[in-house]
Amino acid sequence: MLYIIGLGLGDERDITLRGLEVVKKCHKIYMEVYTSLLSFGLSADGLSKLENLYGKAITLSDREMVEEKADHMLSESRDADVAFLVVGDPFGATTHSDLVVRAKKMGIAVKIVHNASVMNAIGICGLQLYRYGETVSIPFFTETWRPDSFYEKIQRNRMMGLHTLCLLDIRVKEPSLESLCRGRKQYEPPRYMTINTAIEQLLEVEQTREESAYTEETECVGFARLGSEDQMIVAGTMRQLQMIDFGPPLHCLVITGKTHPLEEEMLDFYRCSM
Amino acid sequence: MLYIIGLGLGDERDITLRGLEVVKKCHKIYMEVYTSLLSFGLSADGLSKLENLYGKAITLSDREMVEEKADHMLSESRDADVAFLVVGDPFGATTHSDLVVRAKKMGIAVKIVHNASVMNAIGICGLQLYRYGETVSIPFFTETWRPDSFYEKIQRNRMMGLHTLCLLDIRVKEPSLESLCRGRKQYEPPRYMTINTAIEQLLEVEQTREESAYTEETECVGFARLGSEDQMIVAGTMRQLQMIDFGPPLHCLVITGKTHPLEEEMLDFYRCSM
């Protein structure tokens, strides 16, 4: 049996009792480091906290492992209980559908243990989850690659009065261009997009398109380290949020649509005072 | 301090370690029964399981209590740690923004403990969460009250290729019309909308509007008791799902937009064989 277990958003204490029970009985434990293993796995300290709690060793599995070497983990799951731990929920911002499909095609049973993900935890700012439109991703712009398909989506959401969750780019274990040319993999240092960079890119696209999907004065909410003890949530205009140092990753950004009075009252608690 | 703690979707084991830690140190524990306390609070058995786990008594608070008598709970929170337990996440399908606003206006600190909610757990069917449009609510139709504002929203979502989560009506502790006339409150038995009723109402509205927002042949996914051990998830057309007995509540329904190949592969595992 393969168990895919959501760890939630904060630290080792955000696993559910159900999740912990399963981990403790599993023969082998893998943990995904690709998306957002900040509080948990990227520091040796975080990892050993988890291992102490579970009473067993964890094999870290990076993006390559999940994409290329998953068959090994899957065949282990055929004869024994294997846990694959993911930050947030197994089907939240990063989904593990491909792993589930592969497992099921191999005849391996899969069970999911749910948890909070960024997709629902953003509710804490007071903007109602049922008033969100399509979620967008903001990728890091490069010299030659500046994809802006998020622009129409935000525009459509705002025209309908809906809020937009912007997931910000994460680059972990990206092979460097140089190393690819030399045929031997070396990796770029991990990069996590800040709210500041996201807003810079958003405004750049608005300046090019000039269709007023949003402006510098559009009300947004910035979230850093959502669900952790030191989370930071600030509501303000794009211009205001661009000036704020939100600290370490992960960041995400919500662009408001039309807000209701109760939503406004909640946002007031997070409003920046500039 | 007021702690609003999400219990997740299944049973008492879906609380997080963080949540359990907080509950154990709280002076007083309230639990909301309004929305969806099925696995937990509506049966005496479920309640005592929770009380055993927490090692203390729980005060059930129904809709009236939350709306009318919250001040009492809030003033208790001024001097002591009070936990308010909710099914799912504190800001999921039912939000508790009003409670947060009232607490903060009284100068009471509020902390949130997140958990899975229906809004993210539906990801398990394989339809990607970032491909959902606005969420709709389907209310019970009566002889004289047949509000259908969900129709345009579903239409818009589907025109953009987006999926739609339909939250189905729950009527718990509704004063009966008769008792309101007599000035003494008596309550209707609780009612939870089934997937069958939801589809019946959806098709009725389509028949009246005739704008082909969806048809009997539109692909949907029905969820019953999502997150519980006995959850039931079936993908099929509205016509197919209408024939299926999904068993006890809670139910919800997703109407698909445009699906991607990986989404289709995942749906295949849940496809009904009619």
Side-chain angles (χ1 to χ4, degrees):
Chain A
M1 172 85 83
L2 175 67
Y3 291 92
I4 309 182
I5 300 171
L7 296 180
L9 296 170
D11 60 29
E12 73 280 0
R13 292 174 303 147
D14 289 292
I15 195 169
T16 63
L17 301 189
R18 183 191 298 273
L20 185 58
E21 213 172 82
V22 171
V23 172
K24 286 195 165 174
K25 74 165 193 184
C26 276
H27 171 74
K28 189 87 188 269
I29 305 172
Y30 291 92
M31 183 166 64
E32 170 231 44
V33 289
Y34 169 50
T35 355
S36 45
L37 272 175
L38 292 164
S39 344
F40 300 100
L42 293 189
S43 72
D45 182 47
L47 186 61
S48 67
K49 268 190 198 161
L50 285 181
E51 291 184 326
N52 287 341
L53 178 63
Y54 304 158
K56 48 187 81 172
I58 296 171
T59 306
L60 290 183
S61 77
D62 58 30
R63 189 181 183 172
E64 272 175 15
M65 143 67 197
V66 177
E67 287 178 5
E68 293 169 19
K69 295 170 197 163
D71 285 347
H72 178 67
M73 178 174 79
L74 291 175
S75 39
E76 283 180 311
S77 317
R78 204 191 287 281
D79 309 311
D81 285 335
V82 171
F84 182 62
L85 310 180
V86 304
V87 169
D89 184 78
F91 299 100
T94 307
T95 69
H96 294 83
S97 298
D98 49 343
L99 193 63
V100 173
V101 167
R102 283 164 79 166
K104 292 204 173 180
K105 283 186 176 167
M106 289 169 73
I108 294 159
V110 180
K111 269 202 173 175
I112 303 299
V113 180
H114 289 292
N115 211 319
S117 86
V118 62
M119 310 288 283
N120 71 330
I122 49 166
I124 196 171
C125 77
L127 297 170
Q128 309 279 16
L129 290 185
Y130 57 83
R131 298 279 306 151
Y132 278 76
E134 189 173 1
T135 299
V136 305
S137 293
I138 315 270
F140 274 118
F141 284 176
T142 67
E143 283 293 303
T144 52
W145 194 67
R146 304 174 100 70
D148 60 2
S149 63
F150 53 78
Y151 186 81
E152 283 90 7
K153 292 178 185 173
I154 298 169
Q155 190 170 38
R156 279 195 316 215
N157 285 346
R158 282 179 49 83
M159 276 170 55
M160 294 185 288
L162 302 176
H163 315 310
T164 308
L165 168 60
C166 305
L167 298 171
L168 309 189
D169 205 357
I170 296 171
R171 296 286 167 105
V172 181
K173 226 178 170 186
E174 294 282 319
S176 69
L177 192 61
E178 199 194 348
S179 82
L180 280 178
C181 298
R182 280 202 256 110
R184 228 187 90 204
K185 279 195 184 166
Q186 275 178 333
Y187 300 100
E188 303 280 359
R191 290 171 71 204
Y192 304 94
M193 187 183 285
T194 61
I195 289 164
N196 318 76
T197 302
I199 292 176
E200 193 187 305
Q201 293 192 180
L202 281 161
L203 291 175
E204 182 195 304
V205 175
E206 177 57 61
Q207 244 176 357
T208 317
R209 302 286 204 104
E210 288 188 314
E211 297 168 35
S212 299
Y214 46 81
T215 71
E216 268 196 349
E217 299 308 318
T218 299
E219 193 87 40
C220 293
V221 186
F223 300 81
R225 301 169 304 285
L226 180 57
S228 316
E229 290 289 343
D230 70 336
Q231 69 180 6
M232 182 171 170
I233 303 173
V234 185
T237 64
M238 285 199 184
R239 191 175 42 74
Q240 288 171 326
L241 297 191
Q242 210 175 5
M243 312 289 283
I244 291 173
D245 179 1
F246 281 89
L250 293 177
H251 295 183
C252 69
L253 179 71
V254 169
I255 303 174
T256 62
K258 191 168 154 22
T259 50
H260 294 190
L262 183 58
E263 291 181 316
E264 282 295 327
E265 277 194 290
M266 281 287 286
L267 287 184
D268 282 343
F269 298 123
Y270 299 107
R271 201 90 62 184
C272 65
S273 48
M274 285 185 295
Chain B
M1 172 85 82
L2 175 66
Y3 291 92
I4 309 183
I5 300 172
L7 296 181
L9 295 170
D11 60 29
E12 72 281 1
R13 293 174 301 149
D14 289 293
I15 195 169
T16 63
L17 301 189
R18 182 190 298 272
L20 185 59
E21 212 171 82
V22 171
V23 171
K24 285 193 167 175
K25 74 165 192 183
C26 275
H27 171 74
K28 190 86 186 269
I29 305 171
Y30 291 91
M31 182 165 63
E32 170 229 44
V33 289
Y34 169 50
T35 355
S36 47
L37 271 176
L38 291 164
S39 346
F40 301 99
L42 294 188
S43 73
D45 183 46
L47 186 61
S48 68
K49 268 189 197 162
L50 285 181
E51 291 184 327
N52 286 342
L53 177 63
Y54 303 158
K56 49 187 82 172
I58 297 171
T59 306
L60 291 182
S61 78
D62 58 31
R63 189 181 183 174
E64 272 176 14
M65 143 67 197
V66 176
E67 288 178 4
E68 295 169 17
K69 295 170 199 162
D71 285 346
H72 178 68
M73 179 173 79
L74 291 175
S75 39
E76 283 180 311
S77 319
R78 203 191 288 280
D79 309 311
D81 286 336
V82 172
F84 183 61
L85 310 179
V86 305
V87 170
D89 184 77
F91 299 99
T94 307
T95 69
H96 294 84
S97 299
D98 48 345
L99 193 63
V100 174
V101 168
R102 283 165 79 167
K104 292 205 174 178
K105 283 186 177 167
M106 289 169 72
I108 295 158
V110 180
K111 270 204 171 174
I112 303 300
V113 180
H114 289 291
N115 210 319
S117 85
V118 62
M119 311 288 284
N120 71 329
I122 50 168
I124 196 173
C125 77
L127 297 170
Q128 309 279 17
L129 290 185
Y130 57 83
R131 299 280 304 150
Y132 278 76
E134 188 175 2
T135 299
V136 305
S137 293
I138 316 270
F140 275 117
F141 283 177
T142 67
E143 284 292 303
T144 52
W145 195 67
R146 303 175 100 72
D148 59 3
S149 62
F150 53 77
Y151 187 82
E152 282 90 9
K153 293 179 184 173
I154 298 169
Q155 190 170 38
R156 280 195 316 216
N157 285 344
R158 282 179 51 82
M159 276 169 54
M160 294 183 289
L162 302 175
H163 315 309
T164 308
L165 168 60
C166 305
L167 299 171
L168 309 188
D169 204 357
I170 295 171
R171 296 288 167 103
V172 181
K173 228 180 170 187
E174 293 282 318
S176 69
L177 192 61
E178 200 195 346
S179 82
L180 281 178
C181 298
R182 279 202 255 110
R184 230 188 90 203
K185 279 195 183 167
Q186 276 178 332
Y187 300 100
E188 303 280 359
R191 290 169 73 203
Y192 304 94
M193 188 183 285
T194 61
I195 289 165
N196 317 77
T197 302
I199 292 177
E200 193 189 302
Q201 292 192 181
L202 281 161
L203 292 175
E204 183 196 302
V205 175
E206 178 56 62
Q207 243 175 358
T208 317
R209 301 284 204 106
E210 288 187 314
E211 296 168 36
S212 300
Y214 46 81
T215 71
E216 268 196 348
E217 299 308 318
T218 299
E219 194 86 40
C220 294
V221 185
F223 300 81
R225 300 170 305 285
L226 180 58
S228 317
E229 290 289 345
D230 70 336
Q231 71 180 5
M232 182 172 170
I233 303 173
V234 185
T237 64
M238 285 199 185
R239 190 175 45 73
Q240 288 171 327
L241 297 191
Q242 209 175 6
M243 311 289 285
I244 291 173
D245 179 1
F246 280 88
L250 292 176
H251 294 183
C252 69
L253 180 71
V254 169
I255 303 174
T256 62
K258 191 166 152 25
T259 50
H260 295 189
L262 183 59
E263 291 181 317
E264 283 294 327
E265 278 194 291
M266 280 288 285
L267 286 185
D268 283 344
F269 298 123
Y270 299 107
R271 201 88 62 182
C272 64
S273 47
M274 285 186 294

